[in-house]
Amino acid sequence: MSSTAGLVIPCKAAVAWEAGKPLVIEQVEVAPPQTLEVRVKIKYTTLCRTDFYFWEAKGSTATQLFPRIFGHEAAGIVESIGEGVTDFQVGDHVLPVFTGECGECRHCKSEESNMCDLLRMNPIRGVMLNDGKSRFSLNGNPINHFIGTSTFSEYTVVHSGCLVKINPLAPLDKACILSCGVSTGLGATLNVAKPKKGSTVAVFGLGAVGLAAAEGARIAGASRIIGIGRNPSKFEEAKKFGVTDFVNPKDHDRPIQEVIKEMTDGGVDRSIECTGNVDVMISAFECVHDGWGVAVLCGVPSRDAVFMTKPINLLNERTLKGTFFGNYKPKSDLPSVVDMYMNQELDLDKFITHRVSFSEINKAFELMQKGEGLRCIISMEE
């Protein structure tokens, strides 16, 4: 048992007081974990586009909960456990994950789904499931949680079903990026698109998720990986992830799916869409080859977005699929993804383009706002 178990821990956290305003490093109090909860000392965290989106608060007013502690891509060490927790011990190396695995619901018991009924991502909820209260407070006032993780704090409390125990030899400053974006793109390719060796793959969007999808295609042995994006400055970097061809829609005066079909004698074998733009989704679907082509959507559109395509595209034996978190069940599957890195099958280092100290966390937001880099590692102890 740790010396702080059962006690309130004062620590630093980056608090978002208002939408779009710089985070403020505050001294907050973190309550002990309750039933089926775990308190984690965060060692490293990163900024993901999802944090940025809800920080900007340009979506539904229901998700605009402030003050709030953001953050969901991270790695840390278990500080203490709550009642009923049997699968973690103090000192375990862990990844908090925004979507969980209760192990009991229909989705968790299904081999085909990772969308846990109990612990599915919920950006509207700012409290813990157990008692509907926050574990964070400042001067006696509660601070909202974010998607069950809130890793922009030196300590956080998460449901045990949203925590993944990993190989203690894995460097936490690398493993932390597997908590969301990289696993989403990697799994979209390896678990859902499933390209065969020698196949052609198109990846739409060359951010961290898209390049992780390309990395998945490289690992699967694709012979040709076509990257589609509007920022030519990303093309050189994408070569590190196995991308062999680049297409910029701004260079063409016809639908990009027609360009890709012409390049590939009728269409690619697999495509992965990583932008969330509905027009791009149409292109990703319509660029796959008839008879066997599979398109996978993993970009997140607005809730009310709609796209149209001709039914004949489906009748001609093209397949359209969607995926959530790359179809990985967090607790069951992520340890093996960490092992892929440890076995040098997956290169995480090339995703890490910047590093900052926790006190400089707003620099990570500035980099994302400018569209610079892929992942910025935030060290909690610097």
Side-chain angles (χ1 to χ4, degrees):
M1 182 179 293
S2 71
S3 60
T4 48
L7 304 177
V8 171
I9 294 180
C11 72
K12 292 178 182 177
V15 179
W17 289 99
E18 296 179 64
K21 301 290 186 181
L23 307 188
V24 180
I25 303 294
E26 304 276 15
Q27 185 84 355
V28 303
E29 293 188 329
V30 185
Q34 301 302 305
T35 302
L36 295 180
E37 295 175 358
V38 179
R39 189 161 57 184
V40 178
K41 180 178 176 61
I42 299 297
K43 303 290 285 185
Y44 298 94
T45 187
T46 70
L47 177 65
C48 170
R49 178 64 63 178
T50 302
D51 299 304
F52 191 87
Y53 174 81
F54 287 105
W55 166 75
E56 284 189 307
K58 293 181 178 179
S60 166
T61 55
T63 65
Q64 296 177 17
L65 302 178
F66 295 95
R68 198 170 207 179
I69 297 174
F70 287 102
H72 66 285
E73 279 193 357
I77 299 174
V78 171
E79 175 272 336
S80 61
I81 59 176
E83 184 180 345
V85 176
T86 59
D87 48 348
F88 294 99
Q89 296 180 347
V90 173
D92 283 344
H93 288 209
V94 292
L95 303 180
V97 184
F98 66 96
T99 183
E101 186 179 347
C102 73
E104 299 296 329
C105 71
R106 293 171 301 168
H107 287 277
C108 287
K109 290 181 177 180
S110 167
E111 294 181 359
E112 300 179 37
S113 175
N114 66 340
M115 301 186 72
C116 177
D117 280 329
L118 179 66
L119 301 172
R120 192 177 304 187
M121 175 180 172
N122 184 350
I124 297 174
R125 187 175 62 238
V127 294
M128 298 300 291
L129 276 173
N130 181 57
D131 58 4
K133 296 179 181 179
S134 175
R135 301 291 174 260
F136 297 107
S137 62
L138 177 60
N139 298 324
N141 298 311
I143 301 173
N144 288 293
H145 291 250
F146 178 63
I147 55 177
T149 50
S150 292
T151 62
F152 293 167
S153 174
E154 292 178 319
Y155 288 87
T156 190
V157 176
V158 301
H159 191 287
S160 61
C162 294
L163 205 59
V164 179
K165 186 191 301 185
I166 63 170
N167 184 339
L169 298 179
L172 296 180
D173 64 328
K174 309 291 176 59
C176 63
I177 67 173
L178 292 173
S179 287
C180 182
V182 171
S183 295
T184 295
L186 185 73
T189 301
L190 295 179
N191 299 335
V192 187
K194 298 180 180 178
K196 297 177 182 178
K197 187 174 182 179
S199 60
T200 56
V201 178
V203 177
F204 290 77
L206 299 176
V209 175
L211 292 176
E215 178 77 354
R218 182 194 66 79
I219 291 171
S223 62
R224 192 176 185 187
I225 304 172
I226 303 170
I228 299 96
R230 293 178 173 271
N231 185 351
S233 67
K234 294 184 176 181
F235 290 173
E236 191 63 34
E237 184 175 46
K239 292 179 182 177
K240 301 175 186 176
F241 299 84
V243 177
T244 57
D245 301 75
F246 302 94
V247 178
N248 188 337
K250 294 191 289 187
D251 294 338
H252 302 274
D253 57 4
R254 56 185 173 139
I256 204 65
Q257 54 266 46
E258 294 182 10
V259 175
I260 294 171
K261 288 167 79 171
E262 187 176 281
M263 290 172 61
T264 56
D265 191 23
V268 293
D269 301 308
R270 302 288 187 268
S271 73
I272 300 96
E273 188 284 324
C274 306
T275 72
N277 180 291
V278 292
D279 293 326
V280 177
M281 291 178 178
I282 295 170
S283 297
F285 175 53
E286 295 184 354
C287 81
V288 299
H289 206 290
D290 59 2
W292 60 79
V294 177
V296 177
L297 310 182
C298 68
V300 182
S302 63
R303 182 172 294 275
D304 298 324
V306 175
F307 70 81
M308 296 175 60
T309 189
K310 296 176 181 178
I312 194 67
N313 289 324
L314 289 160
L315 292 172
N316 284 342
E317 299 185 0
R318 295 179 181 87
T319 300
L320 179 63
K321 294 184 173 184
T323 182
F324 176 73
F325 193 49
N327 226 48
Y328 285 118
K329 290 179 183 287
K331 295 172 76 72
S332 300
D333 298 333
L334 280 193
S336 65
V337 181
V338 173
D339 290 341
M340 286 177 66
Y341 169 71
M342 296 298 287
N343 295 333
Q344 299 184 335
E345 300 166 28
L346 169 65
D347 184 0
L348 296 179
D349 298 67
K350 58 193 176 187
F351 288 95
I352 300 168
T353 53
H354 297 84
R355 291 177 178 269
V356 297
S357 65
F358 188 36
S359 63
E360 300 173 309
I361 190 170
N362 286 303
K363 287 185 179 180
F365 282 79
E366 292 167 9
L367 289 165
M368 185 163 285
Q369 205 152 24
K370 295 175 184 176
E372 296 180 8
L374 296 174
R375 280 296 182 264
C376 177
I377 302 297
I378 301 162
S379 174
M380 304 302 287
E381 296 181 341
E382 290 182 14

